[in-house]
Amino acid sequence: MLKELVLKNRSYRRFYQNETISKAQLREWIDLARLGASGRNAQSLKYLTIADPDLCKQVFENLAWAGYLSDWAGPVEGEQPAAYVIMLNDERLSKNYFCDDGIAVQNLLLGAVEDGFGGCILRAFKEKNLRELLNISEDYSMIQVVALGKPKEQVVLDEMKDDDIKYWRDEKGVHHVPKRRLDDIVIDEL
């Protein structure tokens, strides 16, 4: 069951925009993030949720999508995320969040996938604009924006060829993600 969730937990970039996500649902997924491990148990990660459609449009304008798809500017109207979670680090609690962000966002996204949704982690955003738009205090460092919605695209995993890590879309719009073989990443079994 866990492997099935992990396989479904892809970076989705196109959504059924009209499929809304409630604030209660976002809180449930953040609760999964909260329950994960935390370096030194500092628990310095904080979350800002956006589900209002007008505010979602404004957040969308401050994001960059899919660097390897140079001919694609991002999801069009009707395929944009229904909600966002902005992950922050409360610098007053700890300057170092270690690898907590990865653990937390994986838990959050696994919860979304289990509920029939999906997301995309974005680290390419206009921080100054988002800080102003969302009135984010300087006490918080902005780590990532998680775009969320009901996936409108198919994402498949392919075996990597010639060490080419670039994802791509085929003529039918299917998103292909090359992955290294297990034998290529296990260097020894002692």
Side-chain angles (χ1 to χ4, degrees):
M1 176 122 155
L2 179 58
K3 187 168 186 176
E4 182 181 325
L5 282 176
V6 170
L7 287 170
K8 287 182 182 178
N9 184 23
R10 310 303 346 140
S11 291
Y12 296 106
R13 295 177 178 89
R14 293 181 290 177
F15 305 95
Y16 291 100
Q17 192 169 342
N18 61 338
E19 293 278 343
T20 61
I21 301 173
S22 71
K23 290 179 182 179
Q25 187 65 69
L26 292 170
R27 287 181 66 88
E28 283 184 37
W29 299 338
I30 290 169
D31 194 36
L32 294 172
R34 175 186 73 86
L35 294 172
S38 174
R40 296 182 297 114
N41 203 32
Q43 303 175 62
S44 61
L45 297 180
K46 302 286 176 83
Y47 306 89
L48 176 64
T49 65
I50 299 109
D52 175 77
D54 292 329
L55 200 49
C56 281
K57 286 184 188 306
Q58 293 177 65
V59 169
F60 175 80
E61 294 168 2
N62 289 286
L63 305 173
W65 292 83
Y68 289 142
L69 304 178
S70 57
D71 60 342
W72 188 66
V76 297
E77 181 66 34
E79 294 184 343
Q80 295 173 8
Y84 295 95
V85 171
I86 298 183
M87 183 184 285
L88 308 161
N89 185 58
D90 188 337
E91 300 283 316
R92 297 167 298 186
L93 297 175
S94 179
K95 301 277 187 216
N96 188 344
Y97 49 86
F98 302 97
C99 61
D100 295 3
D101 61 319
I103 296 166
V105 77
Q106 180 79 345
N107 287 0
L108 186 153
L109 287 171
L110 288 172
V113 168
E114 183 178 50
D115 291 340
F117 292 90
C120 184
I121 303 166
L122 299 153
R123 291 202 186 224
F125 50 83
K126 297 175 185 171
E127 181 174 346
K128 183 175 185 266
N129 293 0
L130 287 175
R131 275 189 186 283
E132 290 174 12
L133 173 67
L134 304 169
N135 196 27
I136 298 172
S137 164
E138 291 296 326
D139 291 330
Y140 301 110
S141 59
M142 292 183 67
I143 302 170
Q144 57 201 3
V145 176
V146 183
L148 294 158
K150 182 78 72 173
K152 190 179 183 177
E153 67 182 338
Q154 181 183 2
V155 179
V156 297
L157 301 180
D158 296 327
E159 187 174 303
M160 183 182 293
K161 294 183 176 113
D162 302 320
D163 285 329
D164 187 0
I165 61 171
K166 294 181 181 172
Y167 48 79
W168 55 282
R169 289 209 177 118
D170 65 23
E171 64 282 348
K172 294 181 180 175
V174 175
H175 192 86
H176 293 262
V177 180
K179 290 289 187 183
R180 298 182 196 280
R181 295 177 322 118
L182 182 59
D183 288 342
D184 293 335
I185 64 169
V186 176
I187 58 170
D188 205 347
E189 296 177 87
L190 304 173

